[in-house]
Amino acid sequence: MQIIRDMVSPQTGNEGAPTVLIVDDDVAIRKMLVEALSLEGFHTETARDGREALGVLKQSKRWIILLDLMMPVMDGWTFRQEMMKDETLAAIPVVVTLLTLEFLRASGPLL
């Protein structure tokens, strides 16, 4: 969580906790990240794939994106390419996540 806090703290000013857009096709991983980030004081939004995430980003500005690369419909690589075409979206920080349920189960409590 510290990497997220470090990336967004200069941008938040007096606006409160930053919003994190979680882009992942795995519902269990999205739920785990929402719960963990909420406990740390972050507001979250979720998207199941890159196409859905682009729609969410058009609604309002997001502070940081947690992005899975392997998703159906629009994968993380294509999503990032589309983001880079828009000057406003290109400036949003992105953290690539490579979480799998198998990894999470093997690791025990991460957060």
Side-chain angles (χ1 to χ4, degrees):
M1 297 306 148
Q2 189 61 43
I3 189 171
I4 297 169
R5 197 169 301 287
D6 290 346
M7 290 180 78
V8 297
S9 60
Q11 301 175 5
T12 57
N14 295 326
E15 298 175 27
T19 300
V20 179
L21 176 58
I22 301 163
V23 187
D24 198 303
D25 61 315
D26 189 307
V27 68
I29 290 175
R30 285 195 316 265
K31 183 178 178 182
M32 185 271 308
L33 288 171
V34 166
E35 289 175 6
L37 290 164
S38 295
L39 288 172
E40 293 290 325
F42 291 94
H43 300 288
T44 60
E45 296 231 8
T46 63
R48 293 173 293 204
D49 57 58
R51 184 182 304 159
E52 187 175 305
L54 288 172
V56 171
L57 290 171
K58 290 178 183 175
Q59 295 172 17
S60 63
K61 184 177 178 182
R62 298 290 162 233
W63 297 108
I64 191 167
I65 298 170
L66 294 182
L67 177 64
D68 181 25
L69 294 178
M70 298 184 304
M71 298 177 289
V73 183
M74 180 186 286
D75 65 22
W77 299 105
T78 306
F79 168 74
R80 188 66 178 138
Q81 290 171 344
E82 291 298 313
M83 281 184 69
M84 297 306 287
K85 294 177 184 177
D86 182 314
E87 191 174 295
T88 304
L89 299 182
I92 298 172
V94 175
V95 175
V96 174
T97 60
L98 299 172
L99 297 175
T100 65
L101 289 179
E102 292 78 19
F103 172 78
L104 293 174
R105 287 184 190 117
S107 300
L110 292 177
L111 308 171

